[in-house]
Amino acid sequence: MDDDAYDAARLALDRIQPEATFDHDGQRLHIKHLASHYYLPLLISDQDKIGYINHVIHVASERRFLNQLEQYLKETHNGFKQYDWWLFSRSDEALDRVILPYYDGRQGRIRDFHPDFVFWLVKGKAYTILFVDPKGMTVGDYQYKIDGYRELFHDATGCRVFWHGGYEVRVALLMYADKADEPPQGYRAYWCDSPQAMLQKLAP
């Protein structure tokens, strides 16, 4: 890219509004540009579903998580600044094959767990892939999902380490809810109720 093309691209980005709202047929769509999200823009709906466009974030718990994350990122000393590089993305079941298999004891079969968000965080040679699911504790099979994650990514010493391209890679899972002190003792380490607490859970 030459200097003129670079300047034109930079000016185009400067003109992008961080958020816009679009109303159609009684339904409202929010278009957000969150710089750390892997895909831009983010499409968010106030309604449970929106009829005129697909792949929109419409679940209340996901919207709440994104709002809290967006506010946290505005803080001067937010914990993400400790990382050399990081991005996150909302995982779309219809498009992405981000799956953690687990055994559902109530149904007696293997099922697929689709975490709602994935974060990639790099600090030095430490690379963390973090899955975050903000559905809350009303979804009663979270224990089975966490057990399935542990079977894949934990051993007797704790979180397994994978080496790839010179990086020490760990895979983490956190469930996100308004109150993270309610689950049984064996599962509390996997729950958080704020972006700050989410990053604190990742600390060694």
Side-chain angles (χ1 to χ4, degrees):
M1 180 183 290
D2 61 28
D3 290 343
D4 290 340
Y6 173 81
D7 288 340
R10 182 178 56 79
L11 288 172
L13 287 173
D14 287 343
R15 287 193 293 269
I16 293 175
Q17 296 297 316
E19 182 173 354
T21 299
F22 178 74
D23 289 289
H24 175 72
D25 199 21
Q27 295 179 315
R28 176 166 290 181
L29 179 69
H30 301 284
I31 303 169
K32 282 180 176 280
H33 291 265
L34 263 174
S36 297
H37 194 267
Y38 197 78
Y39 304 103
L40 292 174
L42 273 168
L43 304 177
I44 303 170
S45 167
D46 291 336
Q47 289 81 26
D48 289 340
K49 290 185 179 180
I50 195 162
Y52 56 85
I53 194 168
N54 294 324
H55 314 300
V56 175
I57 298 172
H58 59 81
V59 178
S61 60
E62 295 178 26
R63 294 196 308 260
R64 184 169 60 251
F65 172 73
L66 282 174
N67 288 335
Q68 291 175 356
L69 178 62
E70 186 176 16
Q71 293 306 310
Y72 181 64
L73 290 174
K74 293 177 182 177
E75 295 183 12
T76 304
H77 302 293
N78 75 73
F80 286 98
K81 292 186 176 181
Q82 69 182 295
Y83 293 97
D84 301 327
W85 175 90
W86 75 278
L87 285 174
F88 83 106
S89 178
R90 191 256 190 164
S91 179
D92 190 321
E93 276 188 49
L95 299 174
D96 304 313
R97 294 291 295 168
V98 180
I99 294 171
L100 299 178
Y102 70 99
Y103 177 75
D104 186 333
R106 293 185 302 176
Q107 297 190 18
R109 64 185 179 93
I110 300 294
R111 297 181 61 193
D112 291 335
F113 170 33
H114 302 265
D116 290 323
F117 294 92
V118 57
F119 288 73
W120 300 271
L121 308 112
V122 176
K123 186 175 183 179
K125 288 298 181 180
Y127 196 124
T128 302
I129 299 170
L130 169 64
F131 296 113
V132 178
D133 199 73
K135 288 189 176 66
M137 296 181 191
T138 57
V139 180
D141 58 352
Y142 73 83
Q143 296 99 326
Y144 298 127
K145 293 176 179 178
I146 292 172
D147 290 344
Y149 155 78
R150 285 194 289 212
E151 188 173 337
L152 287 172
F153 295 110
H154 275 234
D155 57 25
T157 62
C159 191
R160 286 186 177 133
V161 176
F162 304 88
W163 291 92
H164 180 76
Y167 286 95
E168 186 180 81
V169 182
R170 289 177 171 83
V171 179
L173 170 67
L174 287 173
M175 316 300 271
Y176 196 96
D178 289 335
K179 293 183 179 180
D181 57 353
E182 296 177 356
Q185 183 64 39
Y187 296 92
R188 286 184 187 172
Y190 296 92
W191 285 91
C192 58
D193 53 15
S194 70
Q196 181 178 5
M198 182 178 78
L199 295 181
Q200 290 171 345
K201 294 276 186 180
L202 295 181

